[in-house]
Amino acid sequence: MNIVLIGPPGAGKGTQSKLLSERFSIPQISTGDILRANVREKTPMGLRAKDYMERGILVPDELVVEMVVDRLSQDDCARGFILDGFPRNVKQAEALEETLDKSGKKIDAVIGFEVERRELVRRLSGRRVCRKCGATYHIIFNPPINIDVCDRCGDELYQRDDDKEETIEARLKVYEEETLPVVEYYKKRGLYKGVNGIGSVDEINEAIVKAIG
Ligand code: AMP
């Protein structure tokens, strides 16, 4: 099963894609996570991507597309995959279609998370992430037992640079201008299924599983 998750930053794509990955035993491919790992390890790709990410704007297509094409060609994607954070613009959507075509594959469903702007800002500005295992918390809605310490692995929690207020606005603008046209792209192809992104993690997960069918 080949699934794409689309939604604004803070909509819950990361949380839900991890759950879907476990449920269907297929890998979650988060371009944001891969890029952040490259920035941390100071790889050539990470060094090129860092500035764009800090500003909340998209990393150039050629970097991201190559990264995804390479990842999709790995063996663990043969039975399916969940794309989280890609495609982020129409060019990337076209590149994905072309790559899948070449290997006789197709997208089975595109799940779109629908969450209003005010709620996204609330979620992103309070988000904290574990440096080691990537678990996410919210300082008010889902706080860790001990402040700044991960319940799961005991490592340190931090606030992503791009979750600071000035960058949140830039990311939401990028979503509206560049990613919303991708929603239209998939609607035209009859692949898009919108899901209400407000509710408990379990409720939203159930709605997604139903939408996938
Ligand atoms: P995310 O973790 O998905 O919110 O992504 C964090 C940042 O990584 C974004 O603000 C972009 O700078 C970059 N990024 C992630 N995915 C993509 C993509 N598909 N195309 C371009 N840039 C991306």
Side-chain angles (χ1 to χ4, degrees), residues 1-55:
M1 183 152 5
N2 304 330
I3 301 167
V4 170
L5 300 188
I6 292 195
K13 299 187 297 295
T15 303
Q16 292 298 334
S17 57
K18 285 187 186 83
L19 291 175
L20 294 172
S21 165
E22 280 165 24
R23 185 184 186 108
F24 296 115
S25 301
I26 50 179
Q28 168 209 10
I29 302 173
S30 157
T31 45
D33 284 350
I34 302 173
L35 288 166
R36 273 185 293 280
N38 276 277
V39 170
R40 246 192 334 266
E41 288 154 26
K42 299 194 169 64
T43 65
M45 185 202 285
L47 293 176
R48 278 190 65 191
K50 187 169 187 279
D51 179 54
Y52 298 96
M53 295 175 76
E54 279 172 357
R55 288 160 55 203

CSV table of all heavy atoms in Angstrom, one decimal, residues 1-55:
chain,number,residue,atom,x,y,z
A,1,MET,N,0.8,-1.2,0.0
A,1,MET,CA,0.0,0.0,0.0
A,1,MET,C,0.9,1.2,0.0
A,1,MET,O,1.8,1.4,0.8
A,1,MET,CB,-0.9,0.0,1.3
A,1,MET,CG,-1.8,1.1,1.3
A,1,MET,SD,-3.3,0.8,2.2
A,1,MET,CE,-3.1,-0.7,2.9
A,2,ASN,N,0.6,2.1,-1.0
A,2,ASN,CA,1.4,3.4,-1.1
A,2,ASN,C,0.6,4.6,-0.7
A,2,ASN,O,-0.4,4.9,-1.4
A,2,ASN,CB,2.0,3.5,-2.5
A,2,ASN,CG,2.7,2.3,-2.9
A,2,ASN,OD1,3.4,1.6,-2.1
A,2,ASN,ND2,2.7,2.0,-4.2
A,3,ILE,N,1.0,5.2,0.4
A,3,ILE,CA,0.1,6.2,1.0
A,3,ILE,C,0.9,7.6,1.1
A,3,ILE,O,2.1,7.5,1.4
A,3,ILE,CB,-0.4,5.8,2.4
A,3,ILE,CG1,-1.2,4.5,2.3
A,3,ILE,CG2,-1.2,6.9,3.0
A,3,ILE,CD1,-1.4,3.9,3.6
A,4,VAL,N,0.2,8.7,0.8
A,4,VAL,CA,0.8,10.0,1.0
A,4,VAL,C,0.0,10.7,2.0
A,4,VAL,O,-1.3,10.7,2.0
A,4,VAL,CB,0.7,10.8,-0.4
A,4,VAL,CG1,1.1,12.2,-0.1
A,4,VAL,CG2,1.7,10.2,-1.4
A,5,LEU,N,0.7,11.3,3.0
A,5,LEU,CA,0.0,12.2,4.0
A,5,LEU,C,0.3,13.6,3.7
A,5,LEU,O,1.5,14.0,3.6
A,5,LEU,CB,0.4,11.8,5.4
A,5,LEU,CG,0.2,10.4,5.9
A,5,LEU,CD1,0.6,10.3,7.4
A,5,LEU,CD2,-1.2,9.9,5.7
A,6,ILE,N,-0.8,14.4,3.5
A,6,ILE,CA,-0.6,15.8,3.3
A,6,ILE,C,-1.3,16.6,4.4
A,6,ILE,O,-2.4,16.3,4.8
A,6,ILE,CB,-1.2,16.3,1.9
A,6,ILE,CG1,-0.5,15.7,0.8
A,6,ILE,CG2,-1.2,17.8,1.8
A,6,ILE,CD1,-0.8,16.3,-0.5
A,7,GLY,N,-0.6,17.7,4.8
A,7,GLY,CA,-1.3,18.5,5.8
A,7,GLY,C,-0.3,19.6,6.2
A,7,GLY,O,0.9,19.5,6.1
A,8,PRO,N,-0.9,20.7,6.8
A,8,PRO,CA,0.0,21.8,7.3
A,8,PRO,C,0.9,21.3,8.4
A,8,PRO,O,0.6,20.3,9.1
A,8,PRO,CB,-1.0,22.8,7.7
A,8,PRO,CG,-2.3,22.1,8.0
A,8,PRO,CD,-2.3,20.9,7.1
A,9,PRO,N,2.0,22.1,8.7
A,9,PRO,CA,2.8,21.7,9.9
A,9,PRO,C,1.9,21.8,11.1
A,9,PRO,O,1.1,22.6,11.3
A,9,PRO,CB,3.8,22.9,9.9
A,9,PRO,CG,3.3,23.9,9.0
A,9,PRO,CD,2.4,23.3,8.0
A,10,GLY,N,2.1,20.8,12.0
A,10,GLY,CA,1.4,20.7,13.2
A,10,GLY,C,0.1,20.0,13.1
A,10,GLY,O,-0.7,19.9,14.1
A,11,ALA,N,-0.2,19.4,11.9
A,11,ALA,CA,-1.5,18.7,11.7
A,11,ALA,C,-1.6,17.3,12.3
A,11,ALA,O,-2.6,16.8,12.5
A,11,ALA,CB,-1.9,18.7,10.2
A,12,GLY,N,-0.4,16.8,12.6
A,12,GLY,CA,-0.4,15.4,13.2
A,12,GLY,C,0.1,14.4,12.2
A,12,GLY,O,-0.1,13.2,12.5
A,13,LYS,N,0.7,14.8,11.1
A,13,LYS,CA,1.2,13.8,10.1
A,13,LYS,C,2.2,12.8,10.7
A,13,LYS,O,2.2,11.6,10.5
A,13,LYS,CB,1.9,14.5,8.9
A,13,LYS,CG,1.0,15.4,8.2
A,13,LYS,CD,1.7,16.0,6.9
A,13,LYS,CE,3.0,16.8,7.2
A,13,LYS,NZ,2.7,18.1,7.9
A,14,GLY,N,3.2,13.4,11.5
A,14,GLY,CA,4.2,12.5,12.1
A,14,GLY,C,3.7,11.4,13.0
A,14,GLY,O,4.0,10.3,12.9
A,15,THR,N,2.8,11.8,13.9
A,15,THR,CA,2.2,10.9,14.9
A,15,THR,C,1.4,9.8,14.1
A,15,THR,O,1.5,8.6,14.4
A,15,THR,CB,1.2,11.7,15.8
A,15,THR,OG1,1.9,12.7,16.4
A,15,THR,CG2,0.5,10.8,16.8
A,16,GLN,N,0.6,10.3,13.2
A,16,GLN,CA,-0.3,9.3,12.5
A,16,GLN,C,0.5,8.4,11.5
A,16,GLN,O,0.2,7.2,11.4
A,16,GLN,CB,-1.4,10.0,11.7
A,16,GLN,CG,-2.4,10.7,12.6
A,16,GLN,CD,-3.2,9.7,13.5
A,16,GLN,OE1,-3.3,8.5,13.1
A,16,GLN,NE2,-3.6,10.2,14.6
A,17,SER,N,1.6,9.0,10.9
A,17,SER,CA,2.3,8.1,10.0
A,17,SER,C,3.1,7.0,10.7
A,17,SER,O,3.2,5.9,10.2
A,17,SER,CB,3.2,8.9,9.1
A,17,SER,OG,4.1,9.7,9.8
A,18,LYS,N,3.5,7.3,12.0
A,18,LYS,CA,4.2,6.2,12.8
A,18,LYS,C,3.2,5.1,13.1
A,18,LYS,O,3.5,3.9,13.0
A,18,LYS,CB,4.7,6.8,14.1
A,18,LYS,CG,6.0,7.7,13.8
A,18,LYS,CD,6.6,8.1,15.2
A,18,LYS,CE,7.8,9.0,14.9
A,18,LYS,NZ,7.4,10.4,14.7
A,19,LEU,N,2.0,5.5,13.4
A,19,LEU,CA,0.9,4.5,13.7
A,19,LEU,C,0.6,3.6,12.5
A,19,LEU,O,0.4,2.4,12.6
A,19,LEU,CB,-0.3,5.2,14.3
A,19,LEU,CG,-0.2,5.8,15.6
A,19,LEU,CD1,-1.5,6.5,16.0
A,19,LEU,CD2,0.1,4.7,16.7
A,20,LEU,N,0.5,4.3,11.4
A,20,LEU,CA,0.1,3.6,10.1
A,20,LEU,C,1.3,2.7,9.7
A,20,LEU,O,1.0,1.6,9.2
A,20,LEU,CB,-0.2,4.6,9.0
A,20,LEU,CG,-1.4,5.5,9.2
A,20,LEU,CD1,-1.5,6.5,8.1
A,20,LEU,CD2,-2.7,4.6,9.1
A,21,SER,N,2.5,3.1,9.9
A,21,SER,CA,3.7,2.3,9.6
A,21,SER,C,3.6,1.0,10.4
A,21,SER,O,3.9,-0.1,9.9
A,21,SER,CB,4.9,3.2,9.9
A,21,SER,OG,6.0,2.4,9.9
A,22,GLU,N,3.3,1.1,11.7
A,22,GLU,CA,3.2,-0.1,12.5
A,22,GLU,C,2.1,-1.0,12.1
A,22,GLU,O,2.2,-2.2,11.9
A,22,GLU,CB,3.0,0.3,14.0
A,22,GLU,CG,4.3,0.7,14.7
A,22,GLU,CD,4.0,1.4,16.0
A,22,GLU,OE1,3.0,1.2,16.6
A,22,GLU,OE2,4.9,2.2,16.4
A,23,ARG,N,0.9,-0.4,11.8
A,23,ARG,CA,-0.3,-1.1,11.5
A,23,ARG,C,-0.1,-1.9,10.2
A,23,ARG,O,-0.5,-3.1,10.1
A,23,ARG,CB,-1.5,-0.2,11.4
A,23,ARG,CG,-2.8,-0.9,11.1
A,23,ARG,CD,-3.9,0.1,10.9
A,23,ARG,NE,-5.2,-0.6,10.9
A,23,ARG,CZ,-6.1,-0.5,11.8
A,23,ARG,NH1,-5.9,0.2,12.9
A,23,ARG,NH2,-7.2,-1.2,11.7
A,24,PHE,N,0.5,-1.3,9.2
A,24,PHE,CA,0.6,-1.9,7.9
A,24,PHE,C,1.9,-2.5,7.6
A,24,PHE,O,2.2,-3.1,6.5
A,24,PHE,CB,0.2,-0.9,6.8
A,24,PHE,CG,-1.2,-0.5,6.8
A,24,PHE,CD1,-1.5,0.9,7.1
A,24,PHE,CD2,-2.3,-1.3,6.6
A,24,PHE,CE1,-2.8,1.3,7.1
A,24,PHE,CE2,-3.6,-0.9,6.7
A,24,PHE,CZ,-3.9,0.5,6.9
A,25,SER,N,2.9,-2.4,8.6
A,25,SER,CA,4.2,-2.9,8.4
A,25,SER,C,4.9,-2.4,7.2
A,25,SER,O,5.5,-3.2,6.4
A,25,SER,CB,4.3,-4.4,8.5
A,25,SER,OG,3.7,-4.9,9.6
A,26,ILE,N,4.8,-1.1,7.0
A,26,ILE,CA,5.5,-0.5,5.8
A,26,ILE,C,6.2,0.8,6.4
A,26,ILE,O,5.8,1.3,7.4
A,26,ILE,CB,4.5,-0.1,4.7
A,26,ILE,CG1,3.3,0.7,5.2
A,26,ILE,CG2,4.1,-1.3,3.9
A,26,ILE,CD1,2.3,1.1,4.1
A,27,PRO,N,7.3,1.1,5.7
A,27,PRO,CA,8.1,2.2,6.3
A,27,PRO,C,7.4,3.6,6.2
A,27,PRO,O,6.7,3.9,5.2
A,27,PRO,CB,9.4,2.2,5.5
A,27,PRO,CG,9.1,1.5,4.3
A,27,PRO,CD,8.0,0.5,4.6
A,28,GLN,N,7.7,4.4,7.2
A,28,GLN,CA,7.3,5.8,7.2
A,28,GLN,C,8.5,6.6,6.6
A,28,GLN,O,9.6,6.5,7.1
A,28,GLN,CB,7.1,6.3,8.6
A,28,GLN,CG,6.9,7.8,8.7
A,28,GLN,CD,7.4,8.4,10.1
A,28,GLN,OE1,8.0,7.6,10.9
A,28,GLN,NE2,7.1,9.6,10.4
A,29,ILE,N,8.3,7.4,5.6
A,29,ILE,CA,9.3,8.2,5.0
A,29,ILE,C,9.0,9.7,5.3
A,29,ILE,O,8.1,10.2,4.6
A,29,ILE,CB,9.5,7.9,3.5
A,29,ILE,CG1,9.8,6.4,3.3
A,29,ILE,CG2,10.6,8.8,2.9
A,29,ILE,CD1,9.7,6.0,1.9
A,30,SER,N,9.7,10.2,6.3
A,30,SER,CA,9.5,11.7,6.6
A,30,SER,C,10.6,12.5,6.0
A,30,SER,O,11.8,12.3,6.5
A,30,SER,CB,9.4,11.8,8.1
A,30,SER,OG,9.7,13.2,8.5
A,31,THR,N,10.4,13.3,5.0
A,31,THR,CA,11.5,14.1,4.5
A,31,THR,C,12.0,15.1,5.5
A,31,THR,O,13.2,15.3,5.6
A,31,THR,CB,11.0,14.8,3.2
A,31,THR,OG1,9.7,15.4,3.5
A,31,THR,CG2,10.9,13.9,2.0
A,32,GLY,N,11.2,15.6,6.4
A,32,GLY,CA,11.6,16.5,7.4
A,32,GLY,C,12.6,15.8,8.4
A,32,GLY,O,13.7,16.3,8.7
A,33,ASP,N,12.3,14.5,8.8
A,33,ASP,CA,13.2,13.8,9.7
A,33,ASP,C,14.5,13.4,9.0
A,33,ASP,O,15.6,13.5,9.6
A,33,ASP,CB,12.5,12.4,10.1
A,33,ASP,CG,11.4,12.6,11.1
A,33,ASP,OD1,11.3,13.7,11.7
A,33,ASP,OD2,10.7,11.6,11.4
A,34,ILE,N,14.4,13.0,7.7
A,34,ILE,CA,15.7,12.7,7.0
A,34,ILE,C,16.6,13.9,6.9
A,34,ILE,O,17.8,13.9,7.1
A,34,ILE,CB,15.4,12.1,5.6
A,34,ILE,CG1,14.5,10.8,5.7
A,34,ILE,CG2,16.7,11.7,4.9
A,34,ILE,CD1,14.0,10.3,4.4
A,35,LEU,N,15.9,15.1,6.6
A,35,LEU,CA,16.7,16.3,6.4
A,35,LEU,C,17.3,16.7,7.8
A,35,LEU,O,18.5,17.1,7.8
A,35,LEU,CB,15.8,17.4,5.9
A,35,LEU,CG,15.5,17.3,4.4
A,35,LEU,CD1,14.3,18.3,4.0
A,35,LEU,CD2,16.7,17.6,3.5
A,36,ARG,N,16.5,16.6,8.8
A,36,ARG,CA,17.1,17.0,10.2
A,36,ARG,C,18.2,16.1,10.5
A,36,ARG,O,19.2,16.6,11.1
A,36,ARG,CB,16.0,17.0,11.2
A,36,ARG,CG,15.2,18.3,11.3
A,36,ARG,CD,14.2,18.3,12.5
A,36,ARG,NE,13.1,17.3,12.3
A,36,ARG,CZ,12.1,17.5,11.5
A,36,ARG,NH1,11.9,18.7,10.9
A,36,ARG,NH2,11.1,16.6,11.3
A,37,ALA,N,18.2,14.8,10.2
A,37,ALA,CA,19.3,13.9,10.5
A,37,ALA,C,20.5,14.4,9.8
A,37,ALA,O,21.6,14.4,10.3
A,37,ALA,CB,18.9,12.5,10.2
A,38,ASN,N,20.3,14.8,8.5
A,38,ASN,CA,21.5,15.2,7.7
A,38,ASN,C,22.0,16.5,8.2
A,38,ASN,O,23.3,16.7,8.2
A,38,ASN,CB,21.0,15.4,6.2
A,38,ASN,CG,21.1,14.1,5.5
A,38,ASN,OD1,22.1,13.7,5.0
A,38,ASN,ND2,19.9,13.4,5.4
A,39,VAL,N,21.2,17.4,8.7
A,39,VAL,CA,21.7,18.7,9.3
A,39,VAL,C,22.5,18.3,10.6
A,39,VAL,O,23.6,18.8,10.7
A,39,VAL,CB,20.5,19.6,9.7
A,39,VAL,CG1,21.0,20.8,10.5
A,39,VAL,CG2,19.8,20.1,8.4
A,40,ARG,N,22.0,17.4,11.4
A,40,ARG,CA,22.7,17.0,12.6
A,40,ARG,C,24.0,16.5,12.3
A,40,ARG,O,25.0,16.8,13.0
A,40,ARG,CB,21.8,16.0,13.4
A,40,ARG,CG,21.3,16.5,14.7
A,40,ARG,CD,20.7,15.4,15.5
A,40,ARG,NE,20.2,14.2,14.9
A,40,ARG,CZ,18.9,14.0,14.6
A,40,ARG,NH1,18.0,14.9,14.8
A,40,ARG,NH2,18.6,12.8,14.0
A,41,GLU,N,24.1,15.6,11.3
A,41,GLU,CA,25.3,14.9,11.0
A,41,GLU,C,26.2,15.8,10.0
A,41,GLU,O,27.3,15.3,9.6
A,41,GLU,CB,25.0,13.6,10.3
A,41,GLU,CG,24.5,12.6,11.4
A,41,GLU,CD,23.6,11.5,10.7
A,41,GLU,OE1,23.8,11.2,9.5
A,41,GLU,OE2,22.8,11.0,11.4
A,42,LYS,N,25.8,17.0,9.7
A,42,LYS,CA,26.5,17.9,8.9
A,42,LYS,C,27.0,17.3,7.6
A,42,LYS,O,28.1,17.4,7.1
A,42,LYS,CB,27.8,18.4,9.6
A,42,LYS,CG,27.4,19.2,10.9
A,42,LYS,CD,28.6,20.0,11.4
A,42,LYS,CE,28.3,21.0,12.5
A,42,LYS,NZ,27.8,20.5,13.7
A,43,THR,N,26.1,16.5,6.9
A,43,THR,CA,26.4,15.9,5.6
A,43,THR,C,26.3,17.1,4.6
A,43,THR,O,25.7,18.1,4.9
A,43,THR,CB,25.4,14.9,5.2
A,43,THR,OG1,24.1,15.5,5.1
A,43,THR,CG2,25.2,13.8,6.3
A,44,PRO,N,26.9,16.8,3.4
A,44,PRO,CA,26.7,17.9,2.3
A,44,PRO,C,25.3,18.3,2.1
A,44,PRO,O,25.0,19.5,2.0
A,44,PRO,CB,27.3,17.2,1.1
A,44,PRO,CG,28.3,16.2,1.6
A,44,PRO,CD,27.7,15.7,2.9
A,45,MET,N,24.4,17.3,2.1
A,45,MET,CA,23.0,17.7,2.0
A,45,MET,C,22.4,18.5,3.1
A,45,MET,O,21.7,19.5,3.0
A,45,MET,CB,22.1,16.4,1.8
A,45,MET,CG,20.7,16.7,1.5
A,45,MET,SD,19.6,15.3,2.0
A,45,MET,CE,20.0,14.2,0.7
A,46,GLY,N,22.8,18.1,4.3
A,46,GLY,CA,22.4,18.8,5.5
A,46,GLY,C,22.9,20.2,5.5
A,46,GLY,O,22.2,21.2,5.9
A,47,LEU,N,24.1,20.4,5.1
A,47,LEU,CA,24.7,21.8,5.0
A,47,LEU,C,23.9,22.7,4.1
A,47,LEU,O,23.7,23.9,4.3
A,47,LEU,CB,26.2,21.7,4.7
A,47,LEU,CG,27.1,21.1,5.8
A,47,LEU,CD1,28.5,21.0,5.3
A,47,LEU,CD2,27.0,21.8,7.1
A,48,ARG,N,23.5,22.0,2.9
A,48,ARG,CA,22.8,22.8,1.9
A,48,ARG,C,21.3,23.1,2.4
A,48,ARG,O,20.8,24.2,2.1
A,48,ARG,CB,22.7,22.1,0.6
A,48,ARG,CG,23.9,22.2,-0.2
A,48,ARG,CD,23.8,21.7,-1.6
A,48,ARG,NE,22.8,22.4,-2.4
A,48,ARG,CZ,22.3,21.9,-3.6
A,48,ARG,NH1,22.8,20.8,-4.0
A,48,ARG,NH2,21.4,22.6,-4.2
A,49,ALA,N,20.8,22.2,3.2
A,49,ALA,CA,19.3,22.3,3.6
A,49,ALA,C,19.1,23.2,4.8
A,49,ALA,O,18.1,23.8,4.9
A,49,ALA,CB,18.8,20.9,3.9
A,50,LYS,N,20.1,23.3,5.6
A,50,LYS,CA,20.0,24.0,7.0
A,50,LYS,C,19.3,25.3,6.9
A,50,LYS,O,18.4,25.6,7.6
A,50,LYS,CB,21.4,24.0,7.6
A,50,LYS,CG,21.4,24.5,9.0
A,50,LYS,CD,22.8,24.3,9.6
A,50,LYS,CE,22.8,24.6,11.1
A,50,LYS,NZ,22.9,26.0,11.4
A,51,ASP,N,19.8,26.2,6.1
A,51,ASP,CA,19.4,27.6,6.0
A,51,ASP,C,17.9,27.7,5.6
A,51,ASP,O,17.1,28.4,6.2
A,51,ASP,CB,20.3,28.4,5.1
A,51,ASP,CG,19.8,29.8,5.0
A,51,ASP,OD1,19.7,30.4,6.0
A,51,ASP,OD2,19.5,30.3,3.8
A,52,TYR,N,17.5,26.9,4.6
A,52,TYR,CA,16.1,26.9,4.2
A,52,TYR,C,15.2,26.4,5.3
A,52,TYR,O,14.2,27.0,5.6
A,52,TYR,CB,15.9,25.9,3.0
A,52,TYR,CG,16.7,26.3,1.8
A,52,TYR,CD1,17.9,25.7,1.5
A,52,TYR,CD2,16.2,27.2,0.9
A,52,TYR,CE1,18.6,26.0,0.4
A,52,TYR,CE2,16.9,27.5,-0.3
A,52,TYR,CZ,18.1,26.9,-0.5
A,52,TYR,OH,18.8,27.3,-1.7
A,53,MET,N,15.6,25.4,6.0
A,53,MET,CA,14.8,24.8,7.1
A,53,MET,C,14.7,25.8,8.2
A,53,MET,O,13.6,26.0,8.8
A,53,MET,CB,15.4,23.5,7.6
A,53,MET,CG,15.4,22.4,6.5
A,53,MET,SD,16.2,21.0,7.0
A,53,MET,CE,15.0,20.2,8.1
A,54,GLU,N,15.7,26.5,8.6
A,54,GLU,CA,15.7,27.5,9.7
A,54,GLU,C,14.7,28.6,9.3
A,54,GLU,O,14.1,29.2,10.2
A,54,GLU,CB,17.1,28.0,10.0
A,54,GLU,CG,17.8,27.1,10.9
A,54,GLU,CD,19.3,27.5,11.0
A,54,GLU,OE1,19.7,28.5,10.4
A,54,GLU,OE2,20.0,26.8,11.8
A,55,ARG,N,14.6,28.9,8.0
A,55,ARG,CA,13.7,30.0,7.6
A,55,ARG,C,12.3,29.5,7.4
A,55,ARG,O,11.4,30.3,7.1
A,55,ARG,CB,14.3,30.6,6.3
A,55,ARG,CG,15.5,31.5,6.6
A,55,ARG,CD,16.4,31.7,5.4
A,55,ARG,NE,15.7,32.4,4.3
A,55,ARG,CZ,16.0,32.3,3.0
A,55,ARG,NH1,17.1,31.6,2.7
A,55,ARG,NH2,15.3,32.9,2.1
